[in-house]
Amino acid sequence: MSAGRRTATSMLMKPLVCALMLAVVSGGPARAQSAVAVQGTVLGKTDGAPVLSAEVRIPRTGARVRTDERGTFRVAASAGDSMIVRALGFAELRTLVQSSTPVVRLVALATVLPVFTTTMGQRVIRASESPRSVTVIGREELDAVAAVSANQLLRQLPGLQELPAPPSKTSISIRGFDDSRVLVLVDGEPVAGALIESRDIGRLSTIATERIEVTKGPSSVEFGSDALGGVINIVQAAPTHRLSLDALAREGGLGRQESSVGVSQTVGKLGYRVNGGWRQSDRVTGYNAIGSTFNRIYDVRTDFRYALTDKWALRLDMQGSQERQRFPVDAAFNGFIDNRGGQGFAEVRGPLFGGNIRARAFEQRFVYQYRQSRGLLPIKGSADSLEQRERQGRYLLSYTHVVGAHAIDVGAQRSHRTLVAPKKVTGDSADEQVTEVFARDSWTLGNVLMTAGARHTNSTLWGSSTNPSFGVAWQTSSRVRLRSNVARGFRAPGFKEIRYTFTNPAGGYTLEGNPDLLPESSWSTSVGGTWAPSASLSFDVEGYRNDVSGLVDWRYEGDNAAGFQTYRYVNVARARTQGVETNARVNAGANEVTLGYDFLRARDLNSGLPLSRRASHTARLRVAREWAVRQGLSTDASVRYTGNAPLVGIPSGAPITGPFSTESGIIGRQGALLSVDAQLRLAVTRELEVSGGVNNLLDQQPNLWTPAFARQFYVGLRWRWSVAP
């Protein structure tokens, strides 16, 4: 080898030898650094909320972990490693590990609306984590239709129908079932009045409401009794970060007047929200009459949240209301109903034993009183003036834990319920102790979500009931999501149905309770899917069937010794509801268009007759737009159609009175309703907004429709202020 060639070789070898020695000293190439513990968080990109059970994978090492309820994960990785994050309902994200505390933000797929709903144990989950049919109405839509009570908005949704119970209350039907077979909650707790059968969804205010969740179909696994048709849950807004003030005043036709004020703030570890409101009108929700009809309600809601540590939180929620209703009983007398109620809960939650625990204590009081007079004020001691009082206490302990691909919820709840109803129930009062245990497993296998759960309920008043549910959701592609659910629901017989004893001498009958009543039960099956060809366009369809047995009804038992006809509550009725629900949504720039149509077939299987007042066809078209005018102009218009419905009579002699208690069978048809509602809101300044709108623009008042309110115009003024960031 020549000297020149040896010199060149020596010059090349020196760097290689140095690099090899450096690698030996440092432990390997620069890329092969020692792995460290990476503690990150996975959030939704749009809402910033934690993503539960997201899979985090490091391809180089094959390590896989799942996020907990707070969206956090811990995995061994090195700087520069590739990291893949997947969660059902979100687009897969590939990124690099660039810090030991990364924050990963996932983009939601268009097949699942970016909304939240409540499930068992009072745990809030994303819609993508459930195979159920859930509709969530946000604060924006509440404002857009100027809904001051829950029924004003819910009756506009396809598949939901407002069914009045004259003279003083109204309920919302879901898939053909209403009143006691639709569970109504506020922040996951039952609304007052259910124990004395004084349910009125028109009584429920929307002040301080963040969203209203509507779960369709039996939901007893998640919420217990009464959820045969579905669940309506009114959820309050959390305290704001900065000091915020809010005031609203609105006035309109039919004596409509309302106002509300609120303040919210977070100071250090304490956040609070206090809201109060008042509203009245010359209409009672279940009574279409002029003259002396009147309704007035006062509401107050408070919410306090305190961060005990960076992981443990305490919440105290309290609310109260007072209502007066006035309506004509006959040509000479007015009837008066006064309702007073209050409820609240204390809750603590935080991490424990590798999971998250929640403990909640809830208390409720409610008073109902009925009186009469010839004037505009009730007379003390008139009519049936004895107060009826109810009290409830519920105590919950639930636990959530992520184990591999499984998110497991378990818990127990203990309830104590008391009803005092002089001359209404045997012994004038009744008590009940209810114990419930529940469990639910939600796990993912690739693009498939599966859920299975059960709840066992035991009551000292009526016995026990066990109810399971199973669900599957399959994200076949980024554009298509299929789902199916099978669930069993139940409704426990009420105090009055078990302990009721009532005699009407004028009517010549006696109605008796039955201590041997069993819970009503149902099986429901649903299959549906969503197709979202783009982020701005989606189509949804679902078919369902509910079979209900053991429905409580009255039965003639013969004449008693006094010669009165005797009727008794028994588990004899059966019903079936089935149908198809469809919905289309388009978001194009500042425009939003939704179109929904529902077909319902609801029948009494004993008589073969349709269920009374259930329309087969309902539809709604809503068009909303934001305009660049001053500080902002919003317009919202909706067209709601409810088809005609059969009116089923009650045989004469039955222990029920009313205008249709004359004969059995279909005795008429409730006319179809085409209601057009519209509202315009203009932000004059950043703090001040003026609004105006109309309900029932075409002044539709169909035959036998109750309530059939006349056209109503209204105007409003709203002031909002918050500390600048």
Side-chain angles (χ1 to χ4, degrees):
M1 183 181 293
S2 66
R5 182 171 297 179
R6 284 196 302 270
T7 302
T9 302
S10 176
M11 294 177 64
L12 289 172
M13 290 297 294
K14 286 182 179 180
L16 292 176
V17 172
C18 292
L20 179 60
M21 294 178 63
L22 179 62
V24 171
V25 173
S26 64
R31 172 150 175 81
Q33 299 177 18
S34 299
V36 297
V38 174
Q39 300 182 35
T41 306
V42 180
L43 307 174
K45 185 173 182 179
T46 302
D47 50 47
V51 178
L52 173 71
S53 195
E55 180 188 79
V56 180
R57 180 164 63 93
I58 308 299
R60 183 179 65 83
T61 63
R64 296 172 184 262
V65 295
R66 294 270 179 171
T67 57
D68 61 17
E69 192 176 9
R70 291 171 288 126
T72 61
F73 66 91
R74 183 185 178 95
V75 66
S78 302
D81 275 349
S82 176
M83 182 168 63
I84 301 175
V85 184
R86 299 180 61 188
L88 201 63
F90 293 87
E92 180 182 290
L93 178 67
R94 294 173 178 263
T95 185
L96 297 178
V97 177
Q98 297 177 332
S99 74
S100 60
T101 57
V103 177
V104 180
R105 301 184 184 275
L106 299 182
V107 178
L109 298 176
T111 52
V112 184
L113 293 178
V115 296
F116 296 86
T117 185
T118 305
T119 187
M120 59 171 42
Q122 304 297 345
R123 185 163 72 87
V124 177
I125 65 173
R126 297 176 182 273
S128 59
E129 299 174 48
S130 172
R132 305 296 304 274
S133 175
V134 179
T135 300
V136 178
I137 307 162
R139 181 74 245 181
E140 183 178 337
E141 190 167 353
L142 287 169
D143 292 337
V145 299
V148 70
S149 60
N151 67 307
Q152 293 177 357
L153 178 58
L154 293 171
R155 67 191 179 196
Q156 296 194 18
L157 301 182
L160 274 64
Q161 300 180 41
E162 186 175 26
L163 300 180
S168 61
K169 61 181 182 178
T170 186
S171 66
I172 295 295
S173 166
I174 300 178
R175 293 182 172 176
F177 297 105
D178 73 320
D179 204 36
S180 63
R181 296 171 182 92
V182 170
L183 181 61
V184 182
L185 309 168
V186 176
D187 280 324
E189 302 296 347
V191 298
L195 303 188
I196 58 176
E197 307 299 329
S198 180
R199 299 173 176 87
D200 181 12
I201 200 167
R203 184 165 64 227
L204 302 180
S205 171
T206 61
I207 64 171
T209 297
E210 176 186 84
R211 65 183 187 272
I212 299 179
E213 307 165 351
V214 181
T215 304
K216 299 178 180 179
S219 305
S220 293
V221 171
E222 292 81 7
F223 300 102
S225 177
D226 297 359
L228 285 181
V231 177
I232 297 169
N233 186 24
I234 301 173
V235 181
Q236 292 191 80
T240 57
H241 293 291
R242 300 186 301 274
L243 176 63
S244 301
L245 305 176
D246 189 301
L248 169 70
R250 191 180 288 127
E251 186 166 349
L254 305 178
R256 178 175 181 173
Q257 297 181 40
E258 59 207 46
S259 61
S260 65
V261 294
V263 57
S264 179
Q265 184 184 19
T266 298
V267 181
K269 296 183 177 182
L270 175 66
Y272 68 89
R273 177 185 289 276
V274 179
N275 294 82
W278 159 85
R279 67 186 190 274
Q280 72 177 36
S281 67
D282 293 337
R283 291 294 185 276
V284 176
T285 52
Y287 201 108
N288 182 33
I290 59 175
S292 59
T293 306
F294 175 77
N295 191 44
R296 180 175 60 216
I297 303 175
Y298 297 95
D299 289 287
V300 61
R301 291 184 176 179
T302 65
D303 187 0
F304 298 90
R305 307 190 187 194
Y306 184 76
L308 298 171
T309 68
D310 60 341
K311 296 180 179 179
W312 284 86
L314 174 68
R315 179 179 176 186
L316 179 63
D317 180 287
M318 295 177 291
Q319 56 185 284
S321 67
Q322 180 173 308
E323 176 185 34
R324 165 158 293 179
Q325 298 175 323
R326 184 178 70 229
F327 48 88
V329 177
D330 53 35
F333 284 90
N334 290 321
F336 297 83
I337 292 178
D338 288 303
N339 296 308
R340 303 187 307 277
Q343 63 188 57
F345 66 81
E347 176 186 276
V348 62
R349 59 184 175 87
L352 190 67
F353 304 130
N356 283 271
I357 194 168
R358 175 181 280 105
R360 176 183 286 197
F362 167 79
E363 287 289 333
Q364 181 186 83
R365 303 287 189 276
F366 184 75
V367 178
Y368 168 96
Q369 186 178 35
Y370 173 74
R371 292 173 292 178
Q372 291 183 349
S373 83
R374 292 180 180 270
L376 300 181
L377 295 174
I379 296 176
K380 183 178 180 180
S382 61
D384 181 16
S385 60
L386 296 175
E387 286 188 347
Q388 298 182 54
R389 301 187 301 275
E390 67 176 46
R391 174 182 176 180
Q392 289 197 69
R394 305 210 314 176
Y395 311 98
L396 167 74
L397 182 64
S398 66
Y399 179 71
T400 301
H401 188 47
V402 176
V403 182
H406 299 259
I408 300 173
D409 293 283
V410 296
Q413 184 167 265
R414 177 74 171 177
S415 305
H416 177 214
R417 312 199 303 176
T418 302
L419 170 66
V420 178
K423 299 182 180 181
K424 297 294 189 303
V425 297
T426 305
D428 293 342
S429 66
D431 289 275
E432 179 186 26
Q433 303 283 345
V434 180
T435 302
E436 299 172 272
V437 292
F438 55 83
R440 178 180 184 266
D441 186 8
S442 173
W443 70 97
T444 55
L445 294 175
N447 292 327
V448 177
L449 167 73
M450 293 181 286
T451 64
R455 177 183 293 255
H456 177 76
T457 305
N458 184 271
S459 165
T460 57
L461 193 65
W462 49 263
S464 63
S465 178
T466 301
N467 299 273
S469 72
F470 310 91
V472 177
W474 180 22
Q475 191 76 47
T476 64
S477 70
S478 62
R479 298 182 178 183
V480 178
R481 178 184 172 96
L482 305 178
R483 62 182 184 272
S484 179
N485 195 76
V486 178
R488 188 177 189 268
F490 81 104
R491 184 191 77 91
F495 279 115
K496 289 189 175 182
E497 292 168 329
I498 293 177
R499 301 281 298 273
Y500 193 89
T501 301
F502 175 74
T503 299
N504 184 345
Y509 67 83
T510 295
L511 182 61
E512 297 179 346
N514 182 359
D516 297 323
L517 283 177
L518 299 174
E520 301 174 345
S521 62
S522 71
W523 277 103
S524 172
T525 303
S526 63
V527 178
T530 303
W531 175 48
S534 69
S536 60
L537 177 64
S538 66
F539 301 91
D540 188 272
V541 62
E542 180 165 297
Y544 64 88
R545 171 170 165 166
N546 298 325
D547 287 284
V548 189
S549 60
L551 288 169
V552 176
D553 202 353
W554 48 265
R555 183 172 67 187
Y556 176 62
E557 299 286 321
D559 294 349
N560 62 18
F564 289 166
Q565 293 180 331
T566 301
Y567 296 85
R568 196 182 196 203
Y569 288 113
V570 289
N571 294 104
V572 294
R574 297 180 301 126
R576 175 180 297 152
T577 70
Q578 53 192 344
V580 178
E581 301 172 345
T582 64
N583 188 73
R585 181 185 301 270
V586 180
N587 290 309
N591 301 293
E592 180 181 354
V593 180
T594 57
L595 174 63
Y597 164 77
D598 280 42
F599 171 77
L600 169 69
R601 180 180 173 85
R603 302 192 71 80
D604 182 328
L605 297 182
N606 285 21
S607 66
L609 294 171
L611 298 184
S612 188
R613 295 186 185 272
R614 272 67 167 185
S616 296
H617 307 281
T618 59
R620 184 196 188 201
L621 170 65
R622 176 175 177 252
V623 180
R625 179 178 173 84
E626 300 285 339
W627 306 80
V629 177
R630 296 187 67 87
Q631 297 294 322
L633 173 66
S634 303
T635 57
D636 187 277
S638 63
V639 180
R640 172 172 49 107
Y641 173 77
T642 303
N644 62 64
L647 191 64
V648 179
I650 302 171
S652 59
I656 303 174
T657 59
F660 309 114
S661 303
T662 56
E663 57 183 306
S664 60
I666 299 176
I667 60 174
R669 298 199 70 84
Q670 175 181 281
L673 172 67
L674 180 67
S675 178
V676 178
D677 303 325
Q679 186 188 195
L680 179 150
R681 293 178 293 151
L682 175 64
V684 181
T685 67
R686 295 187 62 178
E687 293 81 22
L688 188 63
E689 176 186 271
V690 296
S691 61
V694 59
N695 292 326
N696 195 10
L697 175 65
L698 304 179
D699 200 22
Q700 293 280 291
Q701 300 183 55
N703 182 46
L704 302 179
W705 186 284
T706 304
F709 294 154
R711 181 191 299 117
Q712 180 190 66
F713 291 96
Y714 60 86
V715 294
L717 186 66
R718 185 169 191 172
W719 177 76
R720 284 177 286 195
W721 176 86
S722 62
V723 173

